[in-house]
Amino acid sequence: MRLASLYSGGKDSAFSLYVAEQMGHEVPYIVNIVPEDKASWIFHTPNLNVVPAMAEAMGKKLVLGRSTGEEDSDMKGLHDALEGLDIDGVVVGAVWSDYQWDRMNIVCGDLGLKLIAPMWRKDQDMLMDQIIDAGIEAVIVGVYAEGFDESWLGRPINRETLAELKKLREKYHISIMGEGGEYESMTLYSPVYSHALDIDGFEKEWSRNNGTLRVKSLVPRP
């Protein structure tokens, strides 16, 4: 099928896009919804300014949608971004959120599109292993739960980090995927990229156990 990828720039959307192409689907578009409100009901919001650099690295057309961040506006933004594209369906990185799953299904149903979710309801330990094994390079750019400190910002998601996430899960019952909003990630390389990317300038925002790495730009890795 010919698909658009709902793409936030995080590890989950990067992995689902990669899996969709491995399944034989064609994915010419990535779709990014940009909410005005950081507390969007449906969509990831940190560092959306660098998604165009990711689209360029993948050689894909970026389709932007706009939203206030409220539920109805999020859904309309997604509907408007997908409407008119020459596609049969949409690939998403949803894992466990019934709320997101239901809303995306409603939009796709209205447009007569298939919803492809390679990660849906899969074991999170298995998924994290598969993401790392696939060669996806992602870093943590936001932490929003007890147990994290400022040292997590900018940390690569690798075997060592995964072991530490599992320790936090034992103590604080977090999702190691960040499915409960515990952390956000940014993909610097995946097998879909023609070249890896590096962070070029950032600022850290930190308060108690919450913080975000505000990335100014991404540049091709030398």
Side-chain angles (χ1 to χ4, degrees), residues 7 29 64 66 86 94 104 114 123 130 148 154 156 164 172 193 202:
Y7 198 86
Y29 303 104
L64 292 175
R66 302 290 175 179
D86 178 22
M104 289 185 290
K114 300 282 189 182
D123 178 80
Q130 290 179 341
F148 292 99
E164 292 190 44
Y172 298 103
Y193 286 24
F202 62 85

Side-chain angles (χ1 to χ4, degrees), residues 8-103:
S8 66
K11 65 180 183 353
D12 297 348
S13 54
F15 183 66
S16 62
L17 169 54
Y18 165 69
V19 172
E21 292 198 341
Q22 290 295 298
M23 293 168 65
H25 298 299
E26 179 186 0
V27 189
Y29 303 104
I30 63 171
V31 176
N32 182 232
I33 309 302
V34 184
E36 295 173 7
D37 187 346
K38 294 178 182 178
S40 166
W41 284 75
I42 300 175
F43 300 111
H44 165 114
T45 60
N47 296 305
L48 298 183
N49 59 299
V50 300
V51 172
M54 299 177 183
E56 184 177 352
M58 290 186 280
K60 299 186 183 299
K61 182 175 180 179
L62 174 61
V63 179
L64 292 175
R66 302 290 175 179
S67 164
T68 63
E70 297 177 348
E71 179 182 0
D72 289 347
S73 184
D74 278 351
M75 294 177 67
K76 184 177 187 304
L78 179 58
H79 182 283
D80 292 349
L82 295 173
E83 191 173 28
L85 295 182
D86 178 22
I87 55 173
D88 305 301
V90 181
V91 58
V92 300
V95 183
W96 283 96
S97 173
D98 288 323
Y99 176 83
Q100 290 181 329
W101 174 261
D102 290 343
R103 271 73 189 161

